[in-house]
Amino acid sequence: MTAFLTIIIVLFIAIAIWQMVKIFDLAQVGVSDNQVANENDNKVNAYLMIGFLIFIYVITIVCFVLWGDLPLMSNSASEHGPEIDNLMIISMIIIFIVQTITQFLLHYFAYKYRGEKGKKALYFADNNTLEAIWTIIPVIVLAGLIIYGLFTWTSIMNVNEDDDPLVLELYAQQFNWKARYGGNDNTLGKANVRLINLDNANILGLDEADPNAQDDIITTELHLPVGKPVLIKMRSQDVLHSAYMPHFRAQMNCVPGMITQFGFTPTVTTAEMRQTPEMIEKVANINEIRKQKSKELAAKGEAALDPYEFDYILLCNKICGKSHYNMQMKIIVETQEEFDAWMAEQKEFKDSLIK
């Protein structure tokens, strides 16, 4: 019923606007409808262009003062995170400088060269010097950014096997994540979605005959030891997913039928990140909002919201279906001792099967 009334109201508003347009057209009878702009029109538009230019600059300054979080990127918790942040900051500075200059030229020229009586436009077919300038400068800048980005990406993706990285797997499916560790031998067993057998709880399709799979450990939380390189293999059971770990500046698509990978070294434990001043402030703000929301829920007789506590998180960064928003996994970065103690509590694959 509400939807029907909404449609009726929108329809009446449309009819009212249509009638007002007709009245306006009738009121213009006898008035010149010359569509050619005169000198006064040009002057008004020229001043409006300058006014809009001032507005752009003022609103930019206001946004920086009120909401700017310089140096724009923070809270990286991986060894390569500062490199990614630095690349982003350089890109944004270049974009900001170019935007500032080009917007000024665009609006100033529209003001300076507005149509006036006695003023004749100068036309020339080409200017090799100008064309060389606005071609060579972007080429040099973009080439520098691309080369810098390629070196950064290569340094991230070339995981040194001599560092003895922790090898694990992220398994994506609609709509959850599973983590699989290589066990004592740090070697993942063979797996294939065709080997999935829910009758005996082989939920990831591990090859039950593969010796390397026997000590694999499957979990619903991702635990990582701080300071140790991690090499993450990624699989998808159904559709295209994307493993996104924002604080580690890590993202890689999980593609059905193939294995992708991403490597990084965590540098800040979960406990340490929770104690940073900006995270304490952020958590306090979130909990204040939850507190106010809980009052509203209590007034309706509903359960209050639990207090928020920061955790690293793994998200799916591809819209993979109707419950895409649910695809999250907690990531816990801890000391090597804490990680070893947690691993000792987990059940190996051979012991998790239903006999």
Side-chain angles (χ1 to χ4, degrees), residues 81-318:
E83 296 181 41
I84 295 291
D85 292 352
N86 192 48
L87 182 59
M88 179 67 75
I89 290 169
I90 291 173
S91 299
M92 294 188 73
I93 289 174
I94 292 173
I95 292 170
F96 180 78
I97 292 173
V98 172
Q99 186 267 351
T100 302
I101 295 173
T102 55
Q103 288 298 319
F104 172 79
L105 294 176
L106 172 67
H107 291 80
Y108 175 72
F109 285 167
Y111 166 80
K112 181 175 176 60
Y113 299 109
R114 64 185 181 274
E116 292 179 316
K117 288 183 179 179
K119 183 185 288 186
K120 186 176 182 181
L122 175 64
Y123 172 81
F124 49 91
D126 58 71
N127 186 313
N128 293 335
T129 302
L130 282 177
E131 291 180 7
I133 290 173
W134 66 51
T135 300
I136 292 174
I137 292 178
V139 166
I140 293 174
V141 173
L142 290 176
L145 279 176
I146 291 170
I147 293 172
Y148 179 28
L150 285 174
F151 275 106
T152 302
W153 180 251
T154 301
S155 67
I156 295 170
M157 297 305 293
N158 287 346
V159 178
N160 191 348
E161 299 289 344
D162 294 335
D163 294 335
D164 189 28
L166 173 67
V167 180
L168 60 93
E169 177 186 74
L170 284 178
Y171 185 81
Q173 63 182 134
Q174 296 173 312
F175 296 95
N176 64 72
W177 296 95
K178 296 289 189 300
R180 177 164 66 106
Y181 295 83
N184 293 326
D185 58 5
N186 197 32
T187 302
L188 294 170
K190 296 178 182 178
N192 192 300
V193 292
R194 294 182 178 86
L195 299 177
I196 292 175
N197 185 353
L198 300 182
D199 292 335
N200 70 342
N202 188 356
I203 57 176
L204 301 191
L206 273 64
D207 186 349
E208 299 176 27
D210 184 5
N212 290 325
Q214 303 306 309
D215 64 346
D216 285 1
I217 295 171
I218 300 171
T219 67
T220 56
E221 279 187 351
L222 183 58
H223 285 241
L224 302 174
V226 68
K228 184 174 180 62
V230 180
L231 180 59
I232 302 178
K233 308 283 186 177
M234 303 176 190
R235 283 193 300 146
S236 172
Q237 177 175 306
D238 32 55
V239 299
L240 183 66
H241 299 278
S242 185
Y244 177 44
M245 293 164 273
H247 286 89
F248 304 114
R249 308 297 189 257
Q251 178 172 314
M252 180 59 66
N253 285 346
C254 306
V255 185
M258 67 181 295
I259 297 174
T260 55
Q261 69 178 38
F262 197 103
F264 64 91
T265 302
T267 56
V268 183
T269 66
T270 300
E272 290 171 341
M273 183 61 78
R274 287 173 179 171
Q275 296 305 312
T276 59
E278 51 193 312
M279 192 56 65
I280 291 174
E281 181 182 359
K282 177 181 178 181
V283 171
N285 290 336
I286 293 174
N287 282 329
E288 181 60 31
I289 295 172
R290 290 196 170 203
K291 182 179 178 181
Q292 298 302 322
K293 184 65 177 178
S294 293
K295 291 180 181 178
E296 299 175 10
L297 294 173
K300 299 177 184 177
E302 300 178 20
L305 298 174
D306 294 329
Y308 169 74
E309 185 176 44
F310 168 80
D311 275 304
Y312 295 120
I313 193 168
L314 165 66
L315 302 168
C316 177
N317 211 21
K318 287 285 187 293

